[in-house]
Amino acid sequence: MPAVSKGDGMRGLAVFISDIRNCKSKEAEIKRINKELANIRSKFKGDKALDGYSKKKYVCKLLFIFLLGHDIDFGHMEAVNLLSSNRYTEKQIGYLFISVLVNSNSELIRLINNAIKNDLASRNPTFMGLALHCIANVGSREMAEAFAGEIPKILVAGDTMDSVKQSAALCLLRLYRTSPDLVPMGDWTSRVVHLLNDQHLGVVTAATSLITTLAQKNPEEFKTSVSLAVSRLSRIVTSASTDLQDYTYYFVPAPWLSVKLLRLLQCYPPPEDPAVRGRLTECLETILNKAQEPPKSKKVQHSNAKNAVLFEAISLIIHHDSEPNLLVRACNQLGQFLQHRETNLRYLALESMCTLASSEFSHEAVKTHIETVINALKTERDVSVRQRAVDLLYAMCDRSNAQQIVAEMLNYLETADYSIREEIVLKVAILAEKYAVDYTWYVDTILNLIRIAGDYVSEEVWYRVIQIVINRDDVQGYAAKTVFEALQAPACHENLVKVGGYILGEFGNLIAGDPRSSPLIQFNLLHSKFHLCSVPTRALLLSTYIKFVNLFPEIKTTIQDVLRSDSQLKNADVELQQRAVEYLRLSTIASTDILATVLEEMPPFPERESSILAKLKKKKGPGTVTDLEEIKKERSSDMNGSAEPASVNASAVSTPSPSADLLGLGAAPITNSAPPPSSSGSLLVDVFSDSASAVAPLAPGSDDNFASPDLASSEVVSEEPADTVHDADELFHKFVCKNNGVLFENQLLQIGLKSEFRQNLGRMFIFYGNKTSTQFLNFTPTVICSDDLQSSLNLQTKPVDPTVDGGAQVQQVVNIECVSDFMEAPILNIQFRYGGTFQNLSVKLPITLNKFFQPTEMSSQDFFQRWKQLSNPKQEVQNIFKAKHPMDAEITKAKIIGFGSALLEEVDPNPANFVGAGIIHTKTTQIGCLLRLEPNLQAQMYRLTLRTSKEAVSQRLCELLSEQF
Amino acid sequence: MIGGLFIYNHKGEVLISRVYRDDIGNRRNAVDAFRVNVIHARQQVRSPVTNIARTSFFHVKRSNIWLAAVTKQNVNAAMVFEFLYKMCDVMTAYFGKISEENIKNNFVLIYELLDEILDFGYPQNSETGALKTFITQQGIKSQHQTKEEQSQITSQVTGQIGWRREGIKYRRNELFLDVLESVNLLMSPQGQVLSAHVSGRVVMKSYLSGMPECKFGMNDKIVIEKQGKGTADETGKSELGSGKQSIAIDDCTFHQCVRLSKFDSERSISFIPPDGEFELMRYRTTKDIILPFRVIPLVREVGRTKLEVKVVIKSNFKPSLLAQKIEVRIPTPLNTSGVQVICMKGKAKYKASENAIVWKIKRMAGMKESQISAEIELLPTNDKKKWARPPISMNFEVPFAPSGLKVRYLKVFEPKLNYSDHDVIKWVRYIGRSGIYETRC
C-alpha cells in the first residue's frame, strides 16, 4: 500500500484493517472491533489532548468500523474538531466522517455549519472544494437552508478558481434537486449562463448540467443560454481532436460536454435567430458527417463516445422537428445502426426511430427500413430489442404497409415472449382496425389473432370486432361465414366462441342457405362448445340460442329442449338459470311478431373511440406511443372512413366502464336482446337511435339522462330559406345546468350535444342525426358569433362531411376558449338539402358563462369574509322571482352544482338557504363568484343574490340562474 | 429422510458434500443457498433449522465447521439432529477434534463413513465400536482379514446385538461410570430463582469379557417408592430415607443397548454394554437442584460517566469439596473507556474485546465467599440509549451431581464365563459443570 509507506500514512489504521481482514469468523471480527472501540474510547476520554494525527487516525478507524456495519455513537466531536484543522488530510477525514455519519444532531450541526462557513470564506481553493463536496454529499434540507444562498455567490464571483466553480456548480445542482424551493433565483442566474463561455471546459461541463436542470423549471430565465450553448457546441464540434487536450476522449472532443449541451438545447424550441439557427444546423450536420467518417480508433470507448454525441444530436433533431433534411439524414444514420452488431446500438436506433416515425418529415424515410425491422423482429436475440422493434413497426404503420406489418406481427405473435404478447395483440387489433380498407381482412385478422393468442386477447378486442361487424352490413355475411368455419376447429379459444356466438346469433341467417351451415348445424356446432365454456360465455350463448329461435323457427323445438334440460333450468349459477327460464318462457309464450321485435337485430353501435386504444394507453401510461398515437390520429383523421374517432374524454365521460356497457352483456339479460328503445338506457351515447319513431324515449330514471325535450316549443323548419333563429329558450336554459343532451329535434334532424369544460377551455361534440331515410346534401353547419362575442369567445369548428346518409349521424367538434366574460350565446346555423328543398335552421348553442365555473370549497368564515369584501353595490345583483318549478331542495341543490359552483353546506345560518361559491376562468382574468339563494316556500318565491368581482358577470349569472328555478 | 449432507468451513467453502437423494435438486443450488442464507447471512442465523425454497437445512456448528443436513421432506427434526450429533461423535472418535485441517486430511474416511452410516438418507449403525471393526484408517486391510473375521463382522453388524462382538476377553474386568451434569440457572438480582434445570448424562467405559448382562440402579424416585411399597414391613424407615435421597427425573433417553421393554415394565435399566466408552443415558431434572454458587451483584451508576460494580459469590456445598475452574463474567457497558478492578481472590481482568470483566478463581472450597469490586469509567455518547444490563454469567466445575443423582448399584452377570459381579472393578465419578449460569444485575 503506497499510502502506508509515506510518512503521513496511518500505520495503526492499516494494521487494524488487515487484522479485520484476517479474521477467521464473524465472532473474531466482532471481538477485534470491540477491542479497538474500547481503545479509541480510552483515548478519547479527554484526560490528555490528542494531536491531530492520532485524532485523524481514530476517526478513520471509527469510520471504517461504521462502514463495516457497526453502530458508532461517539467520536463526532473529534471529527468536528478535525474540520478546523489546517492540514488538508485531517480536514479531509473530518469532512468524510461528517458526510457519512452526520445526522440532524442539533448541537453538532451548528458547529459543522460554522466550520463549513469558515472554509467557504477562506481563500484556499482546496478547503473550499472540501466544504462544497461535503454540502453536496450530505445534500440535506438543512444544508440547503444554510448554504443555498451562499453558493451562487461563489459560483459567479470573478476571483473564484476554476476547480471551485466546478464544485460550486455541481453542489448547487445537488441542492436544487433535493430542495428546489430553497435555491433563490436572482441576478446570479444571468451570470451563470455566461459560464458557458468560460475557458475552462470543466467549468462549462458543470455549469451546463446546472443550467439544464434549472432551465427545465424556469425556461424563460435561461433563454440566453441557447445561443451561448450553440456557439460553444460549434467550437467543440469543429475543433480538431487534439485541440482540447485533456478533454479529448479517445479522439472525440469533449463528448460529455457535447452531450450536455445538446441536452440543454432540448429544453428549448429551435432558436428563432436565423444566424444561431444556421450555426446549430451546421453543428448537427457536422456531427452527422463525423459519424460517417471511418473510426479513428478501434477501441470501443471511441465509438461509444462518438455514438453518444450522435444519439443526443438525433434526439435534438427530433425534438426540433423542423429540418426535414436533417431528420432524413438522422433516419438514414439510424438505419445503419439497425444492423450493427452491438445490441445496445440496435436498441437505441429502434427507440430513436420510433420517435422519428412520428415526425411528418421523416415518416417516409423510416418506412424504408421496414424490411430490416421485420427482420430484427424475427432474428433478434434480445427480448428488449424485439419489443422496441414491435413499437417501431407500430409507429411506422400506415395505410400503405398496414397489411404487411399486421401479417408480420401476427407471425411473430406465435413465437413472441409471453410478457409482451398482450401488448402486441392490442397493437395488432388497433392497426387492423385503423387501417382496414377491406373489412373482410379486418375480420380475418382478428379471428386469426384470437386463434393464435386467445388468452391475451382482452375483452375490448372482441367487443370491437362485434361493434364493427354490426355497424357494417357489407361484412356481416362474410364474418358469419368465417366464424362458422373457425368454430369448426376441434379446439377453439373461448373468446372465439364468444365472437362466434354473438355473430351467428345476429347474422346466422345470412349463411343458413348453405346446406353445410344449416341452422341446425350452426346450433349444434355452438352447443358442442357450450359445456367447455365459462359462465359468462354460456350466458352469451344462451342469448344466441334465443336469437336463433327468432332467426330459424324450424329449430325452435330443439332449442327449447336444450333450454328445458335440467342443466340449464336448474343450473347452480343464478344468471344462467334466469336466462334459461326467461328465454324458455319467451319462446313458448310470445308470438312470432313479438319475438321478431324483441329479438330484432342489434342496432348499430355509436361510433366512438376504439376502446382498445384506451386500453393500450392505460397500459402504457403517458408514454411515447400514446403521444404518437395522438399525433397520428390528428393527421389521419379520415382514415377510417366516416368513423371519425371521437375524443377520448368524451367516451371516458359517458362510458366509465367500457366493458360493462359496450354490448350491455353484463347486467340484465333482457336488455341485451331487447329492442333499441329500452336498451338505450345503458348506451347513453347512442342519442340517435335510428328507429323510425319520431321520439326516441330515453330510459327514465337513469341519472345521466335528461328529460326529453319538448318538441312543440321548437318550431318546425320553414320550407323557404330563412334566417330565423330557433329561440327555443326553454331548451337552451336546460343546458345551463348540464352538458349533455338533445338540443333540437324535428322530423328531419336531431341535434345532440356532449360537452365538457375545464377552466377556460371547453370542447363540444355536436351530433347531427339524419332521421329520414334519404340523404342530406350540402350539409353545412356553421357557428356564428356576434362581433362582441367574437372578442370574448374563441370557437374553432372542424368541417363535417357535406352528405349525411339516411339514418346516419355525423359528429362535429367545437373547441372553445373563453377569453373574457360574455353575455350572448353563439348561434348554430345549419343548411342542407333534403329531397329537393333547401333547409335552413338556427339554434342557440348553449355555451354560457357559467360553463367556465370552477367550484371552490370554503368555510363559513371565509365565505362571509369574502362576501363582505365584495360589498361594492355594483358588484351585487339581486333578483326576486316566482318559482317556475316545484320548490324541491334536492333538485335545487343539484341545479346549483350543475351550474358549476360549489354548494357550501352549513354556511348560511338558515339551513333552508343555499350558498355557493366558485371561480369563473377566462383567459384574461379569473372572477370569483359568491351566490346565495333564499327560497320562500309560503310565497313560492326565490331571492337570488350574486356577488362577483365584475358587474357584468354578476348580471349575466343572475339572469342565467334565475331561469332555472 | 435426509437428502444430503454438507460440511462447510467458516468461509462457507464446501469441504464435504454427499447427496443421498435426487429430490434436493441441483446440488450446487442447495449448497449455495445455505452458504448465502445462513453462513454469510447479514444477521446471525440463530435457528438451527432454516427453510430456503421449500428445502430444510438442519445445521450444527463445531468450532468453525458447519455441518448441514438437507432435505425436502418433512422429516423428524430431532432424528436429524441426533444423527448429526452422532456423526460428530463418530468423527471425533476417528480423528479427534473436528477442524478444517482434520476434515481435509481425512476426507476419504469421512466419505466412507457417510456411505456406511447413512443409506438413501436413512441413518444406519453409527456405533463407533462397530464401525471401527470394518472402517479402519490403516488403508485396505481386506487381504489380511480372514474369511472368518469378515463373516464375524457381518454377523455382528446384521445381528441382534450389533454394538458388541463376541469373544472379547480382558484379564481384568473393569468398568468406569461417569455422571456428568450441567446446571443451568437464571436468577433475579434479589436472589429469586427464575429458572433452573440440570441436564445430565451417564457415560460408561466398560472393559468386560464375553457378553455380560448389566443392571444399573440409581436413586430414581419412582423406583425407590416402588421398593418401599414392596417391602411393606420396612415402610417407615425406607420412606424416611428415600424422601431425602431420591430424585425426580423429568425425562430420560437411553443408549440403544438398554432394553426399553424392561424399563417400561419394571423401570429397571438392564443392557449388554458395547465395548469401550458409550453414553448410557441422558436425563433432565428441574426439582430440588443444589445450586453450587450464589452470585450477589451490586451495580451503582455514579453520574453519567461512572459505574461502580460489586459482586459477591458464595459457594453452597460441603466444605470438604473443592470447586474448580471458576470464572465470573461481569458485562460492562458499550461505552466503557476505562476499568479499575480490585479482588481478594483469584485474578480479574477487563477484556475489551468481549465487553466484560473476567474474574478467574482456580479453586474454592464449599461454604466460602469471595468478592470483587470494579470502577468503570464511561464515555458520554450521542444516543441516549440505556445500557441493557446483561446478566452476570459464571463457569465452574464441582465434584458432585447438582441434581442429587446417586448411583446405587451396577451389577454385572456373565453366565458363560467364570467371573462374577464381585470380580469386576467399578469406578464411579460425579462431575457437575455450569451450563448457562446467570444472575441478573
Side-chain angles (χ1 to χ4, degrees):
Chain A
M1 252 187 267
V4 178
S5 60
K6 274 194 227 154
D8 197 43
M10 291 167 280
R11 213 182 124 64
L13 178 67
V15 168
F16 173 59
I17 292 175
S18 72
D19 275 2
I20 295 256
R21 294 213 169 128
N22 289 335
C23 280
K24 286 255 156 125
S25 63
K26 211 157 206 165
E27 292 79 45
E29 184 185 307
I30 289 169
K31 272 190 179 171
R32 181 71 184 87
I33 286 169
N34 278 339
K35 195 176 149 197
E36 195 58 47
L37 282 176
N39 176 33
I40 299 172
R41 278 196 299 261
S42 68
K43 291 284 196 285
F44 281 176
K45 208 160 45 178
D47 296 354
K48 46 190 184 288
L50 285 172
D51 58 346
Y53 168 77
S54 0
K55 227 184 255 173
K56 176 181 78 175
K57 185 174 78 184
Y58 294 128
V59 168
C60 257
K61 281 182 181 175
L62 286 180
L63 192 55
F64 183 77
I65 292 169
F66 177 76
L67 292 178
L68 281 178
H70 299 266
D71 272 343
I72 296 296
D73 50 8
F74 65 99
H76 296 75
M77 201 56 218
E78 281 72 18
V80 173
N81 285 343
L82 282 179
L83 292 186
S84 52
S85 160
N86 274 329
R87 279 165 174 254
Y88 170 74
T89 52
E90 287 165 21
K91 214 185 245 307
Q92 181 201 26
I93 296 298
Y95 273 122
L96 191 58
F97 187 90
I98 298 295
S99 20
V100 174
L101 265 137
V102 85
N103 47 12
S104 320
N105 190 320
S106 58
E107 337 153 25
L108 281 179
I109 256 315
R110 213 156 28 82
L111 289 171
I112 294 167
N113 284 355
N114 211 12
I116 293 177
K117 243 175 212 145
N118 284 340
D119 278 342
L120 286 182
S122 78
R123 299 278 92 199
N124 187 333
T126 43
F127 290 179
M128 289 171 87
L130 280 177
L132 288 169
H133 291 171
C134 179
I135 297 171
N137 279 336
V138 176
S140 62
R141 232 186 132 70
E142 290 81 29
M143 282 286 176
E145 269 164 14
F147 299 107
E150 203 130 332
I151 295 165
K153 286 181 207 149
I154 298 172
L155 182 57
V156 297
D159 54 349
T160 317
M161 296 269 293
D162 288 337
S163 60
V164 177
K165 270 190 196 164
Q166 231 170 310
S167 303
L170 293 176
C171 180
L172 193 59
L173 175 60
R174 160 77 201 214
L175 292 185
Y176 185 77
R177 281 190 182 141
T178 44
S179 27
D181 50 318
L182 290 179
V183 178
M185 290 294 147
D187 53 348
W188 60 273
T189 50
S190 60
R191 295 171 70 183
V192 164
V193 171
H194 284 281
L195 286 181
L196 289 179
N197 266 338
D198 204 285
Q199 280 164 347
H200 194 269
L201 277 191
V203 176
V204 184
T205 314
T208 315
S209 299
L210 176 64
I211 293 171
T212 309
T213 309
L214 292 174
Q216 274 158 1
K217 283 270 168 65
N218 327 290
E220 277 307 307
E221 289 202 52
F222 295 91
K223 221 171 183 171
T224 45
S225 64
V226 173
S227 62
L228 291 174
V230 170
S231 65
R232 174 54 87 172
L233 184 64
S234 89
R235 264 182 282 159
I236 294 170
V237 169
T238 51
S239 69
S241 56
T242 48
D243 286 359
L244 298 171
Q245 289 172 356
D246 287 352
Y247 289 86
T248 302
Y249 177 80
Y250 289 89
F251 306 105
V252 182
W256 279 276
L257 181 52
S258 314
V259 165
K260 282 181 175 171
L261 287 170
L262 288 164
R263 282 234 174 106
L264 171 60
L265 291 173
Q266 280 174 53
C267 302
Y268 291 98
E272 277 144 25
D273 182 1
V276 178
R277 198 176 169 146
R279 209 162 172 200
L280 178 58
T281 314
E282 213 171 276
C283 280
L284 294 172
E285 268 168 3
T286 322
I287 292 171
L288 289 176
N289 286 340
K290 276 197 176 167
Q292 296 286 9
E293 287 170 13
K296 292 194 178 98
S297 159
K298 281 199 176 133
K299 289 249 169 64
V300 66
Q301 288 95 330
H302 172 69
S303 56
N304 276 351
K306 211 164 80 171
N307 290 335
V309 177
L310 175 65
F311 272 108
E312 212 54 56
I314 290 176
S315 323
L316 181 63
I317 294 170
I318 295 169
H319 171 77
H320 284 172
D321 197 14
S322 59
E323 300 280 342
N325 63 330
L326 276 181
L327 281 164
V328 172
R329 278 194 67 183
C331 181
N332 294 338
Q333 189 72 50
L334 291 175
Q336 291 175 10
F337 286 140
L338 285 183
Q339 279 157 322
H340 204 278
R341 59 191 166 78
E342 249 326 90
T343 312
N344 288 339
L345 275 183
R346 290 199 299 271
Y347 180 94
L348 287 171
L350 286 169
E351 200 181 28
S352 304
M353 270 215 180
C354 243
T355 35
L356 269 179
S358 63
S359 164
E360 56 183 312
F361 302 115
S362 52
H363 187 70
E364 286 305 314
V366 172
K367 268 166 65 183
T368 57
H369 298 289
I370 183 164
E371 291 302 330
T372 326
V373 180
I374 288 171
N375 205 29
L377 197 59
K378 285 178 187 157
T379 57
E380 185 59 58
R381 263 170 300 140
D382 192 312
V383 64
S384 59
V385 182
R386 287 201 295 270
Q387 162 97 59
R388 285 286 90 79
V390 172
D391 285 348
L392 179 54
L393 278 182
Y394 179 71
M396 68 161 70
C397 188
D398 64 15
R399 196 158 270 223
S400 64
N401 54 15
Q403 299 230 357
Q404 184 192 4
I405 286 177
V406 168
E408 287 298 342
M409 281 172 118
L410 270 180
N411 263 341
Y412 173 58
L413 192 55
E414 297 198 46
T415 54
D417 308 83
Y418 294 105
S419 53
I420 57 173
R421 277 197 178 185
E422 193 184 352
E423 207 184 305
I424 298 183
V425 167
L426 282 175
K427 283 180 169 163
V428 169
I430 291 165
L431 291 178
E433 181 195 334
K434 194 151 79 182
Y435 300 119
V437 191
D438 173 8
Y439 277 91
T440 56
W441 172 74
Y442 172 73
V443 171
D444 280 343
T445 307
I446 299 295
L447 288 181
N448 240 334
L449 197 62
I450 294 174
R451 186 179 56 77
I452 294 170
D455 287 336
Y456 298 90
V457 173
S458 53
E459 302 274 280
E460 284 83 357
V461 174
W462 74 264
Y463 287 168
R464 193 66 189 155
V465 193
I466 285 170
Q467 273 184 31
I468 286 178
V469 169
I470 286 184
N471 286 14
R472 329 215 110 244
D473 33 10
D474 46 333
V475 286
Q476 287 163 356
Y478 179 78
K481 192 163 148 276
T482 324
V483 289
F484 178 75
E485 279 162 12
L487 280 174
Q488 279 170 328
C492 47
H493 195 268
E494 196 168 332
N495 278 343
L496 185 66
V497 179
K498 288 183 190 165
V499 176
Y502 201 98
I503 290 182
L504 288 182
E506 293 293 328
F507 310 114
N509 54 338
L510 298 178
I511 55 167
D514 191 329
R516 281 169 299 169
S517 54
S518 69
L520 196 58
I521 294 178
Q522 283 185 35
F523 173 73
N524 285 337
L525 182 63
L526 280 178
H527 200 58
S528 67
K529 315 281 182 200
F530 186 88
H531 303 281
L532 304 170
C533 294
S534 62
V535 170
T537 315
R538 288 190 191 189
L540 187 146
L541 284 179
L542 286 180
S543 298
T544 304
Y545 295 168
I546 192 69
K547 288 224 160 191
F548 275 165
V549 170
N550 175 39
L551 289 178
F552 316 121
E554 63 266 35
I555 59 167
K556 183 172 171 179
T557 46
T558 321
I559 291 170
Q560 280 176 336
D561 285 345
V562 168
L563 290 176
R564 201 175 289 127
S565 70
D566 278 356
S567 62
Q568 309 300 348
L569 271 191
K570 295 181 182 168
N571 197 301
D573 189 86
V574 177
E575 175 73 30
L576 290 183
Q577 199 186 66
Q578 186 178 2
R579 285 197 189 208
V581 171
E582 287 180 4
Y583 290 161
L584 185 61
R585 289 306 285 165
L586 185 69
S587 66
T588 40
I589 293 174
S591 71
T592 340
D593 292 352
I594 295 172
L595 270 184
T597 326
V598 171
L599 303 172
E600 201 189 14
E601 200 175 288
M602 284 298 277
F605 287 90
E607 286 302 341
R608 63 181 102 167
E609 191 207 21
S610 161
S611 47
I612 316 173
L613 211 56
K615 165 124 184 177
L616 183 69
K617 280 181 188 161
K618 205 167 70 190
K619 203 171 154 57
K620 283 235 138 181
T624 43
V625 175
T626 322
D627 303 339
L628 263 177
E629 198 48 49
E630 295 288 20
I631 299 161
K632 279 190 109 177
K633 203 163 63 181
E634 274 169 35
R635 223 186 306 135
S636 56
S637 54
D638 63 340
M639 280 194 202
N640 207 8
S642 66
E644 166 130 64
S647 148
V648 194
N649 300 332
S651 67
V653 169
S654 60
T655 61
S657 56
S659 57
D661 74 338
L662 209 53
L663 294 176
L665 284 176
I670 285 298
T671 43
N672 178 21
S673 50
S678 58
S679 73
S680 55
S682 58
L683 294 170
L684 176 65
V685 204
D686 193 4
V687 206
F688 316 107
S689 55
D690 61 346
S691 66
S693 56
V695 182
L698 291 149
S702 166
D703 284 348
D704 287 340
N705 251 313
F706 37 86
S708 112
D710 187 0
L711 286 178
S713 69
S714 63
E715 284 174 42
V716 177
V717 190
S718 47
E719 303 302 322
E720 70 274 14
D723 212 359
T724 47
V725 174
H726 286 267
D727 207 353
D729 260 349
E730 200 176 328
L731 267 179
F732 176 81
H733 285 301
K734 277 202 190 313
F735 277 95
V736 170
C737 292
K738 69 181 181 220
N739 288 333
N740 306 331
V742 174
L743 176 67
F744 171 83
E745 184 159 4
N746 63 14
Q747 288 90 338
L748 305 176
L749 182 71
Q750 188 191 40
I751 304 174
L753 283 186
K754 279 180 59 62
S755 51
E756 49 184 7
F757 295 89
R758 197 169 195 176
Q759 301 204 323
N760 68 326
L761 298 175
R763 190 184 278 181
M764 184 175 269
F765 298 89
I766 309 174
F767 299 88
Y768 304 99
N770 183 346
K771 287 170 66 178
T772 66
S773 51
T774 2
Q775 256 187 351
F776 290 163
L777 295 169
N778 298 344
F779 186 82
T780 41
T782 38
V783 179
I784 305 161
C785 292
S786 64
D787 292 348
D788 282 0
L789 204 52
Q790 247 164 12
S791 59
S792 50
L793 202 60
N794 265 338
L795 294 179
Q796 286 179 326
T797 49
K798 298 209 172 127
V800 294
D801 208 346
T803 54
V804 183
D805 286 338
Q809 55 182 329
V810 293
Q811 179 199 36
Q812 189 178 27
V813 185
V814 185
N815 285 322
I816 307 152
E817 186 190 25
C818 175
V819 181
S820 63
D821 57 293
F822 56 95
M823 304 293 284
E824 296 162 80
I827 290 165
L828 177 69
N829 180 270
I830 302 149
Q831 298 181 330
F832 60 94
R833 277 191 167 296
Y834 167 65
T837 52
F838 186 68
Q839 308 280 337
N840 185 356
L841 60 101
S842 302
V843 282
K844 267 191 191 174
L845 263 189
I847 301 172
T848 48
L849 187 54
N850 67 299
K851 298 289 181 195
F852 305 99
F853 239 131
Q854 286 286 104
T856 14
E857 293 291 340
M858 56 178 77
S859 66
S860 169
Q861 200 184 349
D862 282 351
F863 181 84
F864 285 110
Q865 195 185 345
R866 288 184 200 189
W867 185 260
K868 278 176 199 137
Q869 277 165 6
L870 299 171
S871 54
N872 189 330
K874 278 186 181 171
Q875 289 171 331
E876 185 184 282
V877 174
Q878 200 168 61
N879 189 9
I880 300 169
F881 54 93
K882 200 149 180 74
K884 298 190 191 100
H885 304 281
M887 294 174 82
D888 183 295
E890 287 308 313
I891 293 174
T892 313
K893 273 183 193 172
K895 279 183 176 168
I896 290 178
I897 291 170
F899 190 66
S901 68
L903 184 72
L904 303 177
E905 307 270 2
E906 294 170 21
V907 168
D908 202 294
N910 181 357
N913 291 352
F914 304 96
V915 165
I919 295 169
I920 290 193
H921 287 261
T922 69
K923 196 184 174 189
T924 46
T925 52
Q926 295 190 349
I927 303 152
C929 308
L930 304 173
L931 65 90
R932 190 179 193 186
L933 182 69
E934 293 151 276
N936 183 342
L937 286 171
Q938 278 86 38
Q940 289 287 305
M941 299 281 275
Y942 282 106
R943 183 167 72 181
L944 176 66
T945 320
L946 261 151
R947 283 190 180 184
T948 74
S949 47
K950 207 164 175 183
E951 186 192 359
V953 175
S954 307
Q955 197 64 47
R956 176 66 178 155
L957 288 180
C958 185
E959 275 171 28
L960 285 171
L961 200 55
S962 305
E963 293 298 324
Q964 296 302 315
F965 303 104
Chain B
M1 294 306 105
I2 297 169
L5 199 131
F6 305 124
I7 301 179
Y8 301 84
N9 68 3
H10 72 280
K11 287 183 204 150
E13 292 163 348
V14 186
L15 303 176
I16 300 286
S17 149
R18 181 76 173 84
V19 174
Y20 294 95
R21 282 165 179 251
D22 293 334
D23 64 351
I24 60 167
N26 188 344
R27 165 191 308 220
R28 220 41 275 146
N29 280 351
V31 167
D32 285 346
F34 183 75
R35 179 170 53 76
V36 170
N37 289 294
V38 180
I39 302 180
H40 288 165
R42 252 164 213 284
Q43 244 86 50
Q44 196 193 347
V45 176
R46 293 193 159 190
S47 160
V49 184
T50 319
N51 245 301
I52 308 160
R54 295 156 165 262
T55 311
S56 310
F57 293 81
F58 304 80
H59 76 263
V60 295
K61 218 184 153 194
R62 286 287 177 270
S63 64
N64 274 333
I65 299 298
W66 301 73
L67 285 96
V70 188
T71 180
K72 274 229 156 157
Q73 286 166 319
N74 186 12
V75 295
N76 181 347
M79 186 274 282
V80 176
F81 281 110
E82 184 59 34
F83 171 78
L84 286 174
Y85 294 141
K86 261 270 139 48
M87 163 101 197
C88 291
D89 290 347
V90 170
M91 288 200 288
T92 319
Y94 266 94
F95 51 75
K97 198 175 163 251
I98 298 176
S99 66
E100 187 176 349
E101 181 90 4
N102 277 343
I103 286 180
K104 280 181 178 167
N105 290 341
N106 292 290
F107 105 102
V108 177
L109 171 76
I110 295 173
Y111 275 114
E112 238 178 299
L113 287 171
L114 283 176
D115 280 347
E116 195 54 45
I117 58 177
L118 211 55
D119 186 13
F120 196 46
Y122 293 98
Q124 306 293 311
N125 191 349
S126 57
E127 197 54 49
T128 319
L131 286 170
K132 273 192 171 165
T133 57
F134 54 91
I135 297 178
T136 55
Q137 283 161 288
Q138 283 84 46
I140 303 162
K141 242 175 115 187
S142 55
Q143 288 104 326
H144 308 287
Q145 253 174 350
T146 57
K147 271 253 162 65
E148 208 176 304
E149 274 176 327
Q150 279 178 3
S151 66
Q152 206 182 348
I153 291 170
T154 315
S155 73
Q156 182 205 330
V157 172
T158 55
Q160 206 181 10
I161 304 164
W163 54 88
R164 190 177 179 94
R165 75 188 158 87
E166 291 197 40
I168 300 170
K169 272 217 164 77
Y170 286 103
R171 206 160 52 82
R172 226 152 73 117
N173 289 310
E174 226 174 349
L175 68 83
F176 301 87
L177 211 54
D178 285 351
V179 177
L180 307 172
E181 292 195 338
S182 81
V183 54
N184 300 282
L185 166 79
L186 183 64
M187 194 177 248
S188 77
Q190 288 77 34
Q192 194 185 356
V193 175
L194 300 173
S195 84
H197 73 271
V198 171
S199 58
R201 339 187 270 138
V202 179
V203 175
M204 188 172 162
K205 213 183 265 180
S206 68
Y207 303 105
L208 300 171
S209 311
M211 293 295 250
E213 173 86 35
C214 300
K215 211 173 168 194
F216 175 67
M218 55 180 181
N219 57 344
D220 181 2
K221 201 174 183 179
I222 298 171
V223 178
I224 302 270
E225 270 170 17
K226 217 193 240 168
Q227 281 177 348
K229 265 176 207 156
T231 53
D233 47 336
E234 285 177 278
T235 318
K237 192 184 159 194
S238 73
E239 266 190 4
L240 269 175
S242 67
K244 267 178 197 167
Q245 284 171 4
S246 66
I247 60 160
I249 289 175
D250 286 16
D251 47 52
C252 53
T253 56
F254 294 100
H255 186 264
Q256 58 167 331
C257 63
V258 175
R259 291 194 186 91
L260 292 178
S261 55
K262 256 198 169 151
F263 180 77
D264 286 342
S265 57
E266 302 164 23
R267 224 177 154 84
S268 73
I269 303 166
S270 67
F271 53 96
I272 297 171
D275 197 34
E277 188 173 330
F278 73 103
E279 186 184 284
L280 178 65
M281 73 179 286
R282 253 185 249 173
Y283 59 91
R284 203 168 64 91
T285 69
T286 48
K287 284 204 192 85
D288 302 323
I289 293 165
I290 309 157
L291 298 173
F293 284 97
R294 167 90 208 274
V295 178
I296 304 159
L298 217 97
V299 180
R300 200 158 68 91
E301 280 174 63
V302 190
R304 269 191 72 196
T305 57
K306 211 168 164 194
L307 200 67
E308 278 179 6
V309 180
K310 198 170 130 188
V311 176
V312 181
I313 58 167
K314 279 184 184 166
S315 55
N316 184 26
F317 45 88
K318 269 190 247 161
S320 58
L321 298 175
L322 272 181
Q324 284 183 317
K325 299 176 189 167
I326 302 154
E327 186 185 284
V328 182
R329 186 176 288 267
I330 306 161
T332 56
L334 291 175
N335 54 344
T336 305
S337 62
V339 177
Q340 270 98 46
V341 204
I342 307 159
C343 63
M344 310 305 286
K345 212 173 168 201
K347 281 177 188 160
K349 207 177 162 191
Y350 167 58
K351 286 204 169 163
S353 60
E354 287 152 51
N355 280 324
I357 298 168
V358 180
W359 176 27
K360 282 182 179 166
I361 303 169
K362 278 196 181 135
R363 235 170 259 112
M364 190 167 171
M367 305 316 260
K368 289 258 166 62
E369 74 172 63
S370 182
Q371 77 166 36
I372 184 175
S373 56
E375 242 179 57
I376 300 170
E377 283 174 81
L378 304 175
L379 193 75
T381 58
N382 293 344
D383 42 351
K384 307 278 186 287
K385 257 187 290 171
K386 243 195 136 210
W387 179 44
R389 289 207 184 192
I392 295 171
S393 61
M394 222 189 141
N395 289 322
F396 54 79
E397 208 179 288
V398 287
F400 62 92
S403 67
L405 181 127
K406 288 259 159 47
V407 176
R408 285 172 59 218
Y409 57 81
L410 196 139
K411 291 172 194 160
V412 181
F413 311 97
E414 169 53 60
K416 284 183 191 159
L417 294 175
N418 53 352
Y419 69 93
S420 70
D421 186 31
H422 304 291
D423 301 329
V424 181
I425 306 160
K426 302 167 190 169
W427 306 85
V428 181
R429 176 165 68 159
Y430 297 93
I431 300 175
R433 291 202 181 92
S434 59
I436 298 166
Y437 200 87
E438 292 177 333
T439 308
R440 289 191 179 149
C441 61

